[in-house]
Amino acid sequence: MMTGQWETLGEAGGIEAYVHRATGEVRGAVVVCSELYGVNAYVRDTCAELAAAGYTALAPDYYWRNARRTELGYSAEEREDGLVLMRALDRDELVADAAAALAAARGEAGERGVAFLGLSMGGHIAVRAATELSFELAAVFYPGWLLNSGFPLVGPVPPLETSERIAEGGAFLLGFRGELDHIIPAEEWEQAEQRLTEAKVPHELVTYPGARHGFACADRPADYDPQAGADAWRKVYAALESHL
């Protein structure tokens, strides 16, 4: 069985990604955008699961300019470490890194398409990428700051303020949120639905009753909701099959 490995995307000394290639027939490629905890064991396991299903998975190290190959756990202290790194991210640099990851993913996908899969912070990155780049699917778990700013990675204009660019880029947007998510209030999710509809972006936004932020991650037992997580992943794989 193949295992994942770190590879440089583009020039030596630049951005790296953890790459886990599909076993057997390649059904497409997925750029996995991590939570603020970096490319940790959960993200690498996610890449392995996608590869087992036939999708080559690439998880970019978006923190590479300040810290290489970051992998944090889910303690309060490590969350603070992640917040420091996240606050150092720049919107334009993220778009450049996403473009490098997309180019590498196109090379891995063969005749099939490319999806961006985003987890929390990575969900924001995936949506931002969809406003600037052209790919087939953005599947995002509890993405933050879609319609509000406050962090340098968001910039002065949150991504869904330019939803029409997603329509131009052609991505289908599939999004998941828990009812009790403390980062994404219901009002913002409803506004996101309205913006996407007005911009004619093909999309599906799902809210899981009683679920919290991070509900899909089994490594976060206080937040994990196995039923909601399993349903969301069923929808992700159906979307990958349909759009890639």
Side-chain angles (χ1 to χ4, degrees):
M1 177 180 293
M2 293 186 65
T3 58
Q5 62 186 7
W6 283 98
E7 299 182 14
T8 300
L9 306 181
E11 296 182 2
I15 184 172
E16 296 177 295
Y18 180 82
V19 181
H20 202 131
R21 289 184 170 82
T23 55
E25 180 183 358
V26 178
R27 304 174 71 185
V30 181
V31 178
V32 180
C33 303
S34 69
E35 303 167 290
L36 64 82
Y37 304 97
V39 184
N40 60 10
Y42 169 60
V43 173
R44 296 194 301 273
D45 288 347
T46 298
C47 291
E49 290 171 6
L50 287 163
Y55 302 95
T56 290
L58 307 86
D61 176 15
Y62 288 111
Y63 290 149
W64 69 274
R65 293 177 179 83
N66 298 296
R68 290 276 183 178
R69 303 186 184 183
T70 299
E71 52 174 303
L72 300 171
Y74 295 100
S75 69
E77 294 78 12
E78 288 170 297
R79 181 176 184 276
E80 290 302 314
D81 291 341
L83 284 170
V84 170
L85 290 168
M86 187 183 75
R87 291 188 181 105
L89 293 175
D90 172 81
R91 180 193 61 177
D92 294 337
E93 291 175 345
L94 282 175
V95 171
D97 291 344
L102 175 59
R106 288 284 182 210
E108 298 285 346
E111 300 298 318
R112 305 297 290 266
V114 172
F116 272 63
L117 173 75
L119 308 165
S120 192
M121 178 191 82
H124 175 91
I125 295 172
V127 175
R128 172 64 71 190
T131 70
E132 301 288 343
L133 307 170
S134 182
F135 50 89
E136 284 67 39
L137 171 67
V140 294
F141 286 79
Y142 25 84
W145 321 295
L146 298 183
L147 285 165
N148 59 79
S149 192
F151 289 96
L153 85 160
V154 181
V157 181
L160 289 193
E161 291 289 352
T162 56
S163 295
E164 66 279 0
R165 293 187 180 182
I166 302 176
E168 293 167 4
F172 184 96
L173 179 59
L174 175 62
F176 306 107
R177 165 190 173 271
E179 179 188 21
L180 305 181
D181 197 308
H182 64 287
I183 291 177
I184 313 163
E187 181 181 6
E188 182 177 345
W189 205 234
E190 292 165 3
Q191 290 172 350
E193 173 75 45
Q194 182 178 354
R195 293 292 178 90
L196 293 168
T197 300
E198 290 172 350
K200 296 181 171 57
V201 175
H203 67 279
E204 180 183 5
L205 299 186
V206 181
T207 297
Y208 290 102
R212 301 178 181 277
H213 190 84
F215 68 80
C217 180
D219 292 350
R220 303 171 67 170
D223 302 315
Y224 182 47
D225 185 323
Q227 184 175 356
D231 184 76
W233 273 107
R234 279 194 294 270
K235 292 180 185 298
V236 168
Y237 280 112
L240 290 170
E241 177 66 25
S242 176
H243 295 284
L244 270 57

